[in-house]
């Protein structure tokens, strides 16, 4: 029951907040333009589903490549840090022996 009240309160607050912001002319204009842009984009996607799927696949491939590249760069950086720490600890041990 309390989860339901919380969800209802959050949704009600969001709706009321959104309605209050619509009193501003500039905000209404911005919202109208964004809604028009989203509507035309959605209409295009519905009319051209194969192109939409292709674009999604290309975007996911780019994301996967950048993620892979980033993880490789991170691994290289960690290896360099590890090598540096090994060198520093080796120097410290050799100084303690002398």
């Amino acid at each position: 029951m309390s989860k339901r009240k919380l969800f209802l309160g959050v949704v009600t607050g969001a709706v009321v907040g959104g309605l209050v912001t619509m009193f501003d002319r500039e905000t209404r204009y911005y919202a109208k333009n964004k809604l028009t842009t989203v509507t035309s984009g959605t209409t295009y996607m519905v009319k051209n589903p194969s192109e939409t799927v292709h674009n999604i696949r290309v975007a996911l491939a780019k994301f996967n490549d950048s993620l892979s590249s980033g993880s490789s760069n991170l691994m290289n950086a960690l290896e360099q840090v590890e090598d540096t720490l090994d060198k520093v600890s080796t120097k410290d041990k050799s100084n303690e022996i002398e």
Side-chain angles (χ1 to χ4, degrees), residues 45-91:
M45 287 180 185
V46 168
K47 288 182 180 179
N48 302 297
S50 60
E51 185 177 343
T52 302
V53 170
H54 174 73
N55 290 341
I56 291 171
R57 292 182 76 195
V58 167
L60 286 175
K62 285 181 183 179
F63 175 75
N64 190 24
D65 289 343
S66 65
L67 182 65
S68 177
S69 173
S71 63
S72 294
N73 290 341
L74 177 62
M75 290 300 294
N76 288 337
L78 288 174
E79 286 175 5
Q80 289 176 359
V81 168
E82 184 180 24
D83 290 343
T84 303
L85 289 174
D86 286 343
K87 289 177 184 176
V88 168
S89 65
T90 304
K91 280 185 178 180

Side-chain angles (χ1 to χ4, degrees), residues 2-14:
S2 62
K3 286 182 183 180
R4 186 174 178 187
K5 286 182 181 178
L6 176 64
F7 181 72
L8 181 63
V10 168
V11 169
T12 303

Side-chain angles (χ1 to χ4, degrees), residues 17-44:
L19 290 175
V20 168
T21 61
M22 289 299 137
F23 286 117
D24 182 36
R25 179 184 310 242
E26 206 173 295
T27 304
R28 283 193 311 268
Y29 180 75
Y30 176 79
K32 180 183 173 192
N33 284 339
K34 286 298 178 181
L35 184 61
T36 303
T37 303
V38 168
T39 302
S40 65
T42 303
T43 303
Y44 182 80

